[in-house]
Amino acid sequence: MVDGGEPEGFGNWYDEKQGDTGDAWHRTLIDPGLFARIGTVTAGTRVLDLGCGNGYVARRLARMGAKVVGVDASDALLERARAREQAEPLGVVYHRTDASDLRMLSDRSFDLAVANMALIDFADAAGAIREVGRVLVPSGRFVCSLSHPCFDVDTRSAWQVEMALGSTTVYRKVTGYREPHSDIFPWRLPDGKVVRTVGYHRPLSWYVKELRKAGFVIVDLEEPAPAPDYVGVRVQKEWLEQIPLHLVVEARLEPGTPGPA
Ligand SMILES: C[S@@+](CC[C@H](N)C(=O)[O-])C[C@H]1O[C@@H](n2cnc3c(N)ncnc32)[C@H](O)[C@@H]1O
């Protein structure tokens, strides 16, 4: 969510940044791990994209044949997502809502839910996880990517690089890990305006416990390493090969999970 509202140009900037395939950073670092855990999506698979942004993941899944619903709290991003749907109809339906309130979606109506770098932006991520547990069918899967809670604690973490006698050692400094907290991230738009988004850190055990409470078991994890064609900040490639800054979780709703009251 943008702190202090969505300034003019925000939706266009984010939409242009992510485009139809995700920006270079997503394409070559996060998405290979995300899609590895999503696996094969067959025609008619009912997919929920939570915090869908401009909808590039939703559209990618729709092109595989999935029936996709995207939800997001940002009017500006949904406007862009709907414009893309209009330009290339793929049957993706979008709703504007807080992810912790999916009342427009029926119980047990999705096979797969995806949240790409989104739970970390939700103030009520526990509520969102509960809602995903409600709308998924038993044995339905929830695949989400996060900033790695252990190594990427917003502004409370940093690289530390030591060079000595021709060798370089990379460390990741982390503080404030245990305490759930929020932080502000400034993004500079092309016109020089600065947009601030809010992100939320929760420790790894928080995610495991909230997923368990909602009836999920974790079945797999990815800690994405840069792809060979990684085009992010060049110097970080070797560091990211050693220490992951992202985590992808694949959870499955336990078949015996009681249905909603
Ligand atoms: C980092 S962006 C990721 C967007 C998209 N999944 C992607 O990969 O491009 C996080 C998204 O979560 C949305 N968001 C933030 N808080 C939300 C909330 N409480 N409910 C629904 N969406 C929210 C933002 O508007 C934004 O689109």
Side-chain angles (χ1 to χ4, degrees):
M1 184 67 70
V2 177
D3 187 35
E6 295 178 334
E8 212 182 305
F10 168 73
N12 284 345
W13 165 73
Y14 195 86
D15 181 49
E16 275 161 31
K17 180 175 92 65
Q18 292 298 63
D20 214 33
T21 51
D23 64 11
W25 177 64
H26 280 75
R27 267 199 320 279
T28 61
L29 186 59
I30 304 169
D31 294 357
L34 180 82
F35 279 89
R37 296 285 31 97
I38 288 173
T40 310
V41 168
T42 51
T45 301
R46 296 161 300 170
V47 181
L48 172 63
D49 183 0
L50 207 63
C52 60
N54 81 334
Y56 86 89
V57 169
R59 284 194 305 284
R60 190 165 159 184
L61 292 166
R63 285 192 197 98
M64 297 176 190
K67 277 175 58 109
V68 188
V69 172
V71 300
D72 203 283
S74 162
D75 284 320
L77 294 181
L78 286 174
E79 192 183 309
R80 300 305 309 148
R82 290 186 177 119
R84 285 182 180 269
E85 171 65 22
Q86 204 168 14
E88 183 197 356
L90 293 166
V92 183
V93 174
Y94 293 101
H95 297 284
R96 187 206 178 280
T97 187
D98 191 288
S100 61
D101 178 3
L102 303 180
R103 71 182 74 174
M104 71 295 298
L105 306 177
S106 307
D107 301 348
R108 309 283 175 246
S109 55
F110 290 90
D111 306 299
L112 171 71
V114 175
N116 191 27
M117 300 302 287
L119 288 179
I120 50 173
D121 281 15
F122 298 169
D124 184 7
I129 293 170
R130 262 197 314 278
E131 279 290 74
V132 174
R134 177 181 69 77
V135 301
L136 278 181
V137 294
S139 297
R141 292 182 309 127
F142 181 29
V143 178
C144 56
S145 60
L146 310 168
S147 297
H148 200 309
C150 304
F151 302 117
D152 195 5
V153 185
D154 45 64
T155 53
R156 300 179 198 199
S157 55
W159 295 110
Q160 184 170 329
V161 183
E162 269 181 18
M163 292 183 204
L165 299 176
S167 72
T168 302
T169 311
V170 171
Y171 302 89
R172 192 75 187 163
K173 288 199 306 189
V174 170
T175 189
Y177 169 75
R178 275 193 195 282
E179 197 53 41
H181 60 262
S182 62
D183 205 350
I184 304 285
F185 299 88
W187 306 88
R188 190 171 293 281
L189 271 46
D191 64 2
K193 246 187 248 149
V194 175
V195 171
R196 293 182 170 78
T197 58
V198 185
Y200 297 86
H201 166 78
R202 290 119 183 163
L204 184 59
S205 55
W206 185 94
Y207 287 98
V208 176
K209 286 180 201 306
E210 290 303 327
L211 285 164
R212 290 294 298 141
K213 273 194 234 165
F216 288 98
V217 282
I218 293 175
V219 293
D220 215 335
L221 292 176
E222 300 277 339
E223 294 179 302
D229 58 342
Y230 173 76
V231 290
V233 184
R234 212 63 231 172
V235 70
Q236 275 204 62
K237 185 167 190 282
E238 285 170 27
W239 308 348
L240 287 166
E241 273 156 3
Q242 296 181 51
I243 302 173
L245 293 192
H246 302 93
L247 180 66
V248 179
V249 179
E250 176 186 357
R252 188 182 293 277
L253 196 63
E254 284 189 300
T257 304

